[in-house]
Amino acid sequence: MESGERRNGDSMSHNHRAPKKPRLAGLLTESDIDSEFAHHQTGVARINNGSFGCCPGSVLEAQREWQLRYLRQPDEFYFNGLRRGLVASRTVISDLINADDVDEVSLVDNATTAAAIVLQKVGRCFSEGKYKKEDTVVMFHCAFQSVKKSIQAYVSRVGGFTVEVRLPFPVNSNEEIISKFREGLEKGRANGRTVRLAIIDHITSMPCVLMPVRELVKICREEGVEQVFVDAAHAIGSVKVDVKEIGADYYVSNLHKWLFCPPSIAFFYCKKRGSESDVHHPVVSHEFGNGLPIESAWIGTRDYSSQLVVPSVMEFVNRFEGGIEGIMIRNHDEAVRMGLMLADAWGTNLGSPPEMCVGMVMIGLPSKLCVESDEDATKLRSYLRVHYSVEVPVYFLGLRDGEEGVKDKDSGLITAYVRISHQIYNKTEDYERLRDAITELVKDQMTCQNLPSG
């Protein structure tokens, strides 16, 4: 490296200037919230925050300032601003999740990237002979599809064995989940195998359930599981996250889903060890070997602005009454209230008790809709979007032999659920529109078999 150059962000130049911040004052009013999300398309019941999240206007302004700073003078931004800005974001997150050290926190694009990092490491251990053929990865069957694909890409092809634990659903208690998980670990250890990795969701996606993550990690420690990776894509901004209390080796959560960041940003926590942990970013750059936080801070020329606005996001969050905890309480309470309203209107059920819900709730759909496959669920979701301007995921529940299922008020078997989300921009009318759409379809004797396509 030439004498006039320093690694990205290490220069002590006095020309370093933080981007301008939009002026914010006082607690957010309902009018302020409407203004912050005025860029949302009007006329749509947007009750699917869980998939893509949302970003307030003031944070988008802060992001634009970072983007312009780069475009004005890329060299100054690279040498004097980027690393420092990323450390500021990591420090905020480290404090928020109670990490021991900011160097335990890396910023990556999303939970999918973190899963690839962990599973590439596991795959290398198989390839290098550190693990025996058919040593095991244990996970729940509803793990996100990209996680399953990473196992297929990095672990199964080099001899790893996978055990999928079926998540009970609808679910009534944490004990049901814990019992099934213990059975999965036992299966993972069968025939002399060692469970090298357990993947545990903090909040499952589809179906949506708040998992007893601390208890599951504790069981892993008691049962000799080598490493635990918590996929908590929906957690930060939905529930309190204390990584020391949870006790996992790896923990990832997206910040664009429930913490108001623009795409794409997630924090990836790696528990600090006595020796350097062999984890690396999947994109190899000139920072390879300098530790995951630094590797992740530069993966080539790209837009890092979403990772730089975390301090601005916290300014927005702290304007809400009660801060992040106030937001979590409001979203949980409103999601449950709307879920109970829908279940009552349709004569169905919630997929889990209120204490196992977050800002997302599963509600059974009337059996008369005749949702009989994943394709039917997709068709119904599209129909609601096109004909009723309602955006909500639909989950098909395929029952196995011997499972009785739950029946609705018409004594029909409930085979599908909607997953509603509540974020601070949502109104009661959003859920009433969904309620009325489903009620109308049932009244008109519309089923997934006679819904028109398109």
Side-chain angles (χ1 to χ4, degrees):
M1 184 177 287
E2 296 178 10
S3 58
E5 295 182 347
R6 297 196 183 149
R7 180 182 290 167
N8 153 27
D10 289 344
S11 169
M12 297 305 292
S13 167
H14 295 290
N15 294 324
H16 170 73
R17 292 175 297 163
K20 295 178 181 178
K21 297 178 181 177
R23 293 182 180 179
L24 304 174
L27 290 177
L28 287 168
T29 64
E30 291 300 319
S31 177
D32 291 332
I33 292 172
D34 290 343
S35 177
E36 286 280 7
F37 297 100
H39 54 281
H40 285 186
Q41 183 177 333
T42 58
V44 176
R46 180 172 166 155
I47 50 179
N48 183 29
N49 192 85
S51 285
F52 301 107
C54 61
C55 188
S58 57
V59 175
L60 291 173
E61 289 180 37
Q63 181 186 31
R64 182 61 175 161
E65 285 295 330
W66 279 110
Q67 291 170 332
L68 288 174
R69 178 175 171 185
Y70 165 73
L71 292 170
R72 289 185 191 111
Q73 224 295 37
D75 292 81
E76 191 275 339
F77 175 83
Y78 174 79
F79 286 106
N80 297 333
L82 176 58
R83 179 71 61 77
R84 207 168 285 175
L86 293 175
V87 169
S89 290
R90 288 169 48 218
T91 300
V92 170
I93 296 165
S94 178
D95 292 340
L96 197 59
I97 65 173
N98 195 29
D100 276 328
D101 193 309
V102 69
D103 286 337
E104 294 180 319
V105 177
S106 302
L107 297 179
V108 295
D109 284 350
N110 44 48
T112 300
T113 304
I117 291 170
V118 173
L119 291 163
Q120 281 183 3
K121 176 187 174 182
V122 172
R124 287 194 299 271
C125 289
F126 277 104
S127 298
E128 295 166 4
K130 296 177 182 177
Y131 295 166
K132 296 184 298 183
K133 296 289 184 183
E134 295 201 351
D135 277 355
T136 310
V137 174
V138 174
M139 64 180 178
F140 284 91
H141 85 282
C142 55
F144 205 63
Q145 194 62 29
S146 62
V147 175
K148 293 186 177 184
K149 291 293 185 180
S150 285
I151 291 174
Q152 179 183 332
Y154 304 125
V155 178
S156 300
R157 67 195 305 171
V158 291
F161 182 75
T162 304
V163 170
E164 292 192 14
V165 179
R166 188 166 180 85
L167 177 73
F169 189 82
V171 63
N172 297 306
S173 69
N174 286 331
E175 286 69 32
E176 294 177 31
I177 297 172
I178 290 169
S179 176
K180 291 293 183 183
F181 187 67
R182 287 188 183 277
E183 291 176 13
L185 291 181
E186 185 176 348
K187 184 176 179 182
R189 292 194 303 268
N191 301 318
R193 293 189 294 255
T194 300
V195 179
R196 298 297 184 177
L197 178 71
I199 302 174
I200 299 170
D201 301 273
H202 196 156
I203 302 166
T204 57
S205 178
M206 288 287 270
C208 172
V209 177
L210 175 62
M211 303 283 274
V213 63
R214 294 168 184 80
E215 292 87 343
L216 296 176
V217 173
K218 184 172 182 287
I219 289 168
C220 288
R221 299 307 184 201
E222 293 169 351
E223 299 293 333
V225 175
E226 186 171 293
Q227 297 178 92
V228 181
F229 170 43
V230 175
D231 180 355
H234 290 277
I236 192 77
S238 290
V239 292
K240 179 185 176 184
V241 175
D242 185 325
V243 291
K244 284 193 285 192
E245 187 178 305
I246 292 167
D249 300 284
Y250 308 107
Y251 187 103
V252 64
S253 189
N254 292 324
L255 278 75
H256 63 265
K257 286 186 181 289
W258 292 97
L259 200 67
F260 303 106
C261 284
S264 305
I265 174 175
F267 79 82
F268 181 39
Y269 164 83
C270 298
K271 188 175 183 179
K272 207 164 191 179
R273 304 171 188 280
S275 58
E276 189 63 29
S277 182
D278 184 25
V279 290
H280 298 286
H281 197 283
V283 178
V284 176
S285 76
H286 62 263
E287 296 287 10
F288 179 82
N290 290 322
L292 186 62
I294 294 176
E295 289 184 13
S296 301
W298 184 255
I299 54 172
T301 303
R302 49 160 296 182
D303 184 0
Y304 293 90
S305 61
S306 61
Q307 299 182 359
L308 293 162
V309 297
V310 176
S312 298
V313 168
M314 294 311 297
E315 288 184 9
F316 170 79
V317 165
N318 289 332
R319 291 184 63 208
F320 193 92
E321 187 173 2
I324 187 62
E325 290 187 5
I327 291 172
M328 292 189 297
I329 291 169
R330 170 168 161 168
N331 285 337
H332 170 269
D333 291 352
E334 286 299 297
V336 170
R337 186 170 73 89
M338 293 299 97
L340 290 170
M341 179 269 289
L342 293 171
D344 181 65
W346 299 336
T348 61
N349 66 314
L350 298 188
S352 60
E355 64 271 17
M356 297 178 73
C357 298
V358 283
M360 299 188 291
V361 176
M362 305 292 294
I363 306 101
L365 284 168
S367 60
K368 287 184 176 181
L369 290 174
C370 299
V371 182
E372 298 176 353
S373 65
D374 290 326
E375 291 73 21
D376 284 349
T378 300
K379 186 178 182 181
L380 177 59
R381 177 178 183 175
S382 298
Y383 193 85
L384 290 170
R385 178 189 303 121
V386 172
H387 295 277
Y388 292 96
S389 295
V390 173
E391 193 59 70
V392 66
V394 180
Y395 172 71
F396 169 65
L397 177 64
L399 295 176
R400 298 189 301 178
D401 291 342
E403 292 182 331
E404 295 183 2
V406 176
K407 294 184 178 180
D408 63 11
K409 66 178 181 180
D410 297 314
S411 299
L413 195 64
I414 296 174
T415 60
Y417 288 74
V418 289
R419 186 193 75 186
I420 63 167
S421 297
H422 188 279
Q423 187 48 282
I424 60 173
Y425 57 80
N426 283 121
K427 313 286 187 185
T428 299
E429 306 90 81
D430 297 332
Y431 308 92
E432 291 174 338
R433 185 183 297 186
L434 170 62
R435 176 197 64 193
D436 296 345
I438 295 298
T439 300
E440 182 176 297
L441 290 175
V442 172
K443 180 182 177 182
D444 293 344
Q445 299 184 351
M446 302 292 286
T447 71
C448 287
Q449 285 64 55
N450 61 24
L451 281 179
S453 300

